[in-house]
Amino acid sequence: MQTMAIVGASLAGISAARAARAQGFAGRLVLIGDEPHRPYDRPPLSKDFLAGKMTPEHLRLESPEDGEGADPLQAEWLLGAAARSLDAATRTVTLDDGTEIKADSVVIATGAYARTLPELAGLANVFTLRTLHDAQDLAPELVPGARLVIVGGGFIGAEVASTARALGVEVTVICSGAVPLSRPLGAEMAGTLAALHEINGVELICDASIESYYSGEGVVSGLRLADGRYVPADVVLVAIGAEPNTAWLAGSGLELGDGVLCDPMGRTNAPGVVAVGDCAAWLDEDSGEHRRVEHWSGATERPALAVTALLEPGAVRQPLNLPYFWSDQYNVRIQFAGHARDADRVDIEAGDPAAHSFVAVYYRGGQPVAVLGANQPRLFTKWRRQLNAERAVATQATAAAAQPVLAASPSFI
Ligand SMILES: Cc1cc2nc3c(=O)[nH]c(=O)nc-3n(C[C@H](O)[C@H](O)[C@H](O)COP(=O)(O)OP(=O)(O)OC[C@H]3O[C@@H](n4cnc5c(N)ncnc54)[C@H](O)[C@@H]3O)c2cc1C
């Protein structure tokens, strides 16, 4: 293998580049990214960066562990260059300016973009938060007394609410479900954490749907809800989730769904092409479904497995850690590993949910399957390690049984 092209020069992309070099790939490594910046970290964008406690320099993902010198990964960096298309059969990436990059292997790491509300497109006081540029636009709006309305009750909305409150902003969160975060955490535990908003002076409006927007002179001034309530706004953040950046792959020959469909090592249906990070939907063997995992740890850990699959085409399945994320809200560190379902039994292992300091373990069929921690990092980590260890043993047993099939058919979607 002489050339590896990595499309998307952010967390999953640089993690794949590091893994390739660490696993002995000595050929040409091309990193293609449509943002003008070197890879940067997104989690602080809704936290310390938005709060004015960090500069862009603090966000840089390149570190001394990449080695010494100006080009430690010995990569060709094509930044500010969008990939327009891929021919998966010949592994040719075509850039917006028509440049073609023919590679022996391709890593797709194009991440996701923030969903928007078409009704609010182009209004000057309406924001989303995905990129450094977005955060730089939003930050100056968060001044004491400003009325911020956050549409969406997910993690990014909750984190911005928390950051904005600390800056003296008046915050309203509008959420379509009965309780924010019920999908990732299950309704029961999500309910305990939703209280954080109200305790911290945020108005939380659940089960809401927006009927109309009031706008004039290029800005939105308020929202009318279906129950007749009017919510005035100086600033609106639309935080209603993200979609995978896969439009450029239409016609590539790759199977697409909610993301690039991959096997449990990141292989797509095209030999020599893998997908990692927020744009990739790896097969989750527990549920039999392809799932995108939009968490920092997935974009950091999984690229090493996908690179192994590229460099060793017959590679045996390797254990995959449970999906893990953290979120910082109102001085509470929330950590979660696994997949929650509403039917899971939840036991409080330690602490007190009412005090927002606890560890809760989710059981399915009597087996622990997921763990949630709030301000209990040590005990949470112990549980997470235990669950990952149990999973590794199960994966190795399955892989050993399935090995002849995998070796004969590396792409088995
Ligand atoms: C505000 C914010 C806060 C977050 N906080 C947390 C947190 O607290 N905990 C947690 O676990 N996770 C958090 N996350 C999630 C985490 O940051 C993501 O999971 C991670 O960034 C995914 O990395 P990625 O490289 O797959 O995608 P991205 O970081 O989205 O990078 C993809 C890159 O590819 C580029 N690209 C897209 N299309 C093309 C193309 N056609 N050609 C070339 N380049 C292209 C994009 O512009 C981008 O630079 C947060 C995310 C955001 C946005």
Side-chain angles (χ1 to χ4, degrees):
M1 187 185 296
Q2 292 176 1
T3 300
M4 182 182 291
I6 300 177
V7 188
S10 183
L11 181 61
I14 194 171
S15 300
R18 285 175 178 150
R21 290 303 189 216
Q23 292 180 32
F25 174 67
R28 180 181 174 221
L29 191 57
V30 187
L31 272 142
I32 302 157
D34 63 359
E35 292 187 83
H37 319 286
R38 300 289 285 210
Y40 62 87
D41 213 13
R42 287 175 211 271
L45 296 181
S46 47
K47 310 175 184 80
D48 281 356
F49 185 83
L50 199 59
K53 296 178 187 163
M54 290 173 107
T55 66
E57 192 55 31
H58 292 118
L59 303 177
R60 279 181 69 110
L61 280 171
E62 288 157 286
S63 65
E65 73 198 41
D66 291 320
E68 293 299 322
D71 187 12
L73 285 169
Q74 296 292 303
E76 283 173 45
W77 292 83
L78 303 180
L79 298 179
R84 184 174 70 202
S85 62
L86 168 73
D87 179 347
T90 61
R91 293 177 294 277
T92 305
V93 180
T94 304
L95 305 187
D96 255 354
D97 66 2
T99 306
E100 286 191 349
I101 294 145
K102 291 187 192 301
D104 304 290
S105 61
V106 176
V107 179
I108 297 168
T110 45
Y113 64 91
R115 285 191 198 116
T116 54
L117 289 170
E119 302 91 324
L120 300 183
L123 296 176
N125 62 343
V126 178
F127 301 85
T128 54
L129 182 54
R130 180 76 200 181
T131 65
L132 172 58
H133 191 256
D134 294 338
Q136 286 171 323
D137 282 350
L138 176 60
E141 305 291 330
L142 303 183
V143 293
R147 292 165 305 176
L148 169 68
V149 176
I150 298 174
V151 181
F155 285 106
I156 289 177
E159 290 184 351
V160 174
S162 157
T163 303
R165 280 303 294 149
L167 293 170
V169 176
E170 300 301 319
V171 183
T172 303
V173 173
I174 298 177
C175 139
S176 59
V179 61
L181 305 179
S182 59
R183 197 169 55 93
L185 303 181
E188 184 183 346
M189 298 319 296
T192 69
L193 293 174
L196 282 170
H197 285 301
E198 275 151 356
I199 293 167
N200 287 280
V202 169
E203 186 185 12
L204 175 64
I205 306 178
C206 293
D207 278 327
S209 68
I210 300 167
E211 201 162 81
S212 56
Y213 300 94
Y214 290 76
S215 58
E217 297 179 11
V219 295
V220 59
S221 53
L223 299 79
R224 174 81 59 197
L225 303 182
D227 65 5
R229 228 178 314 182
Y230 177 76
V231 185
D234 299 314
V235 188
V236 173
L237 176 73
V238 179
I240 52 174
E243 294 284 333
N245 277 319
T246 51
W248 70 284
L249 295 168
S252 63
L254 293 186
E255 284 192 47
L256 304 175
D258 176 31
V260 183
L261 302 190
C262 298
D263 78 2
M265 291 269 288
R267 302 175 185 102
T268 68
N269 57 308
V273 182
V274 297
V276 294
D278 284 14
C279 69
W282 288 26
L283 182 68
D284 168 43
E285 288 182 319
D286 295 342
S287 65
E289 292 168 3
H290 287 93
R291 276 191 173 150
R292 283 194 311 116
V293 172
E294 297 178 76
H295 310 322
W296 190 94
S297 63
T300 312
E301 294 170 3
R302 292 185 175 199
L305 272 67
V307 164
T308 301
L310 284 178
L311 299 178
E312 301 168 33
V316 181
R317 267 283 306 285
Q318 290 184 15
L320 195 57
N321 285 335
L322 285 170
Y324 162 74
F325 63 80
W326 80 95
S327 177
D328 295 323
Q329 301 171 24
Y330 310 104
N331 295 321
V332 177
R333 163 134 311 191
I334 299 164
Q335 296 173 285
F336 185 84
H339 289 291
R341 292 189 196 151
D342 272 340
D344 293 342
R345 191 188 89 226
V346 182
D347 285 358
I348 303 301
E349 201 57 38
D352 177 6
H356 301 110
S357 172
F358 64 92
V359 169
V361 178
Y362 296 58
Y363 290 85
R364 202 170 300 151
Q367 294 299 312
V369 290
V371 57
L372 167 68
N375 275 350
Q376 293 264 0
R378 271 211 199 145
L379 186 56
F380 171 86
T381 302
K382 195 174 148 224
W383 268 100
R384 181 182 169 209
R385 283 210 188 108
Q386 183 185 320
L387 293 177
N388 279 334
E390 286 166 9
R391 194 174 161 88
V393 171
T395 305
Q396 272 155 355
T398 317
Q403 193 172 354
V405 180
L406 276 171
S409 169
S411 300
F412 60 86
I413 289 173

